């Protein structure tokens, strides 16, 4: 088991013409400092700080930097046998691994993450490497937890281009579909996870994992998307005040509405009203 997962920090410097190679394990790669390229048979992908890459077992690749430059990266190698099919947590992590593999086989080795996901991956990857470096008592258990957290973050925060559609329907998916219907019909009211898990008769941890597996989002992300969708519909149909839109769509305040709206659309209420030819109205 010890040889099925290992992680380390590495410096990259120019060594001439890059020569592609492959591993008998999956490789995760995080750029910490400097710039460079990730090469595959398909070509080169630019790399900059914060970029997260995945290369499945057997795929030819190499990292490189321009002459005279040095980059610092974190690397983790994981063998398929490390994850147990009999463990529910490992099975869910295996789903993330499958999504990553499907994406990489289409030469999309750079993993696109939400802002939160990129931040979390950086922290978790650093912890994974540090545990391997210090080798304190229990470090293998700590590394296993960190790897599961990293794969869970990919599952929840990764931006996959349709790869989820070809995955088998997970057991218990009908409960999440019922949860989605409840959110669709009750988005205008305060909705909590406690209410849903009580109604669906499911544990909190299982609900969170299953919801992200089925929908690709957390429950809050899913609910916010519904609320913003409805807010945009209301805005398109008339010219109500921002406070009225926020209240009708279940936002606890105008400021909360502004925050979620920008997170979901990348635009402000002023921009949306301007494009719709509507005047700005905060209240009333």
């Amino acid at each position: 088991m010890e040889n099925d997962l290992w992680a380390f920090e590495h410096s990259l410097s120019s060594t001439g013409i890059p020569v592609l190679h492959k591993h008998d394990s999956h490789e995760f790669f995080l750029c910490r400092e400097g710039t460079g390229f990730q090469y595959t048979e398909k070509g080169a992908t630019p790399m900059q700080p914060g970029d997260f890459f995945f290369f499945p077992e057997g795929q030819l690749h190499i990292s490189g930097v321009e002459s005279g430059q040095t980059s610092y990266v974190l690397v983790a190698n994981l063998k398929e046998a490390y994850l147990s099919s009999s463990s529910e947590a490992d099975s869910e992590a295996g789903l993330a691994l499958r999504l990553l593999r499907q994406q990489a086989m289409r030469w999309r080795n750079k993993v696109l993450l939400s802002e939160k996901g990129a931040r979390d991956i950086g922290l978790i990857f650093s912890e994974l490497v540090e545990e391997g470096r210090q080798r304190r008592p229990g470090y293998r258990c700590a590394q296993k937890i960190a790897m599961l957290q990293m794969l869970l973050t990919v599952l929840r925060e990764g931006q996959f281009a349709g790869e989820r559609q070809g995955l088998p329907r997970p057991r218990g998916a009908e409960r999440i579909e019922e949860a989605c219907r409840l959110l669709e019909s009750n988005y205008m009211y305060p909705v909590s996870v406690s209410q849903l898990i009580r109604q669906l008769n499911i544990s909190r941890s299982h609900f969170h994992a299953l919801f992200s597996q089925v929908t690709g989002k957390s429950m809050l992300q899913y609910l916010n998307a519904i609320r913003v969708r409805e807010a945009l519909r209301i805005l398109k149909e008339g010219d109500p005040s921002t406070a009225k839109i926020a209240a009708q769509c279940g936002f606890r305040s105008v400021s909360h509405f502004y925050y979620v709206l920008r997170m979901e659309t990348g635009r402000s209420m002023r921009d949306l009203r301007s494009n719709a030819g509507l005047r700005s109205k905060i209240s009333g």
Side-chain angles (χ1 to χ4, degrees):
M1 182 69 73
E2 183 175 2
N3 294 325
D4 289 342
L5 171 65
W6 61 101
F8 54 94
E9 188 170 11
H10 182 56
S11 62
L12 298 174
S13 56
S14 178
T15 57
I17 300 175
V19 179
L20 299 177
H21 66 278
K22 60 183 178 181
H23 298 288
D24 61 353
S25 60
H26 304 304
E27 186 167 81
F28 300 84
F29 196 100
L30 178 69
C31 181
R32 294 294 300 274
E33 183 180 335
T35 59
F37 297 90
Q38 290 288 354
Y39 298 91
T40 64
E41 293 176 284
K42 192 70 172 179
T45 301
M47 175 183 69
Q48 59 185 2
D51 283 351
F52 182 52
F53 292 84
F54 173 79
F55 300 95
E57 174 186 352
Q59 187 177 62
L60 292 168
H61 70 281
I62 189 68
S63 308
V65 298
E66 294 184 354
S67 178
Q69 293 188 350
T70 301
S71 294
Y72 298 91
V73 299
L74 300 181
V75 182
N77 290 85
L78 172 71
K79 289 195 174 181
E80 193 81 25
Y82 189 75
L83 300 177
S84 169
S85 59
S86 61
S87 164
E88 185 175 352
D90 283 19
S91 295
E92 290 169 353
L95 174 62
L97 205 58
R98 181 172 175 179
L99 286 168
L100 288 170
R101 187 189 297 111
Q102 288 179 350
Q103 183 167 264
M105 296 312 292
R106 296 179 175 89
W107 308 108
R108 293 196 290 267
N109 299 91
K110 182 177 177 180
V111 183
L112 300 180
L113 298 161
S114 67
E115 183 177 344
K116 177 182 182 302
R119 183 172 61 250
D120 290 349
I121 286 290
L123 295 173
I124 296 168
F125 212 140
S126 296
E127 181 181 343
L128 179 65
V129 170
E130 188 64 16
E131 286 291 345
R133 187 184 68 81
Q134 293 190 10
R135 293 185 170 234
R136 296 175 296 178
Y139 80 92
R140 285 193 292 272
C141 179
Q143 281 195 308
K144 175 71 177 280
I145 292 172
M147 176 53 72
L148 291 178
Q149 287 179 327
M150 191 156 73
L151 289 170
L152 176 60
T153 300
V154 168
L155 187 62
R156 290 181 172 179
E157 305 294 336
Q159 300 173 19
F160 297 100
E163 279 82 358
R164 297 180 192 272
Q165 296 177 4
L167 296 175
R169 178 180 169 87
R171 186 170 55 188
E174 66 280 354
R175 292 184 176 182
I176 300 305
E177 290 165 357
E178 175 63 19
C180 291
R181 286 192 289 270
L182 290 170
L183 293 175
E184 286 280 356
S185 58
N186 293 278
Y187 67 87
M188 67 291 295
Y189 305 116
V191 180
S192 69
V193 173
S194 297
Q195 291 172 315
L196 289 177
I197 63 175
R198 186 165 54 249
Q199 188 158 346
L200 298 172
N201 192 27
I202 187 175
S203 72
R204 183 179 294 269
S205 60
H206 190 204
F207 173 79
H208 282 303
L210 193 57
F211 196 98
S212 63
Q213 185 176 347
V214 172
T215 68
K217 298 179 179 180
S218 69
M219 191 211 80
L220 183 58
Q221 289 172 331
Y222 192 91
L223 179 59
N224 282 339
I226 295 173
R227 287 172 168 167
V228 168
R229 182 196 69 201
E230 291 303 307
L232 295 177
R233 180 186 60 78
I234 293 171
L235 183 62
K236 185 177 180 180
E237 292 177 352
D239 187 20
S241 69
T242 302
K244 188 174 182 179
I245 295 176
Q248 287 181 343
C249 295
F251 294 100
R252 61 177 180 266
S253 66
V254 170
S255 60
H256 180 228
F257 173 46
Y258 282 154
Y259 173 78
V260 174
L261 182 69
R262 184 172 286 278
M263 290 293 291
E264 285 289 323
T265 68
R267 303 171 69 185
S268 68
M269 190 64 172
R270 185 184 299 274
D271 291 337
L272 292 169
R273 284 190 181 276
S274 176
N275 288 345
L278 303 174
R279 67 185 184 280
S280 177
K281 295 170 66 176
I282 301 300
S283 61

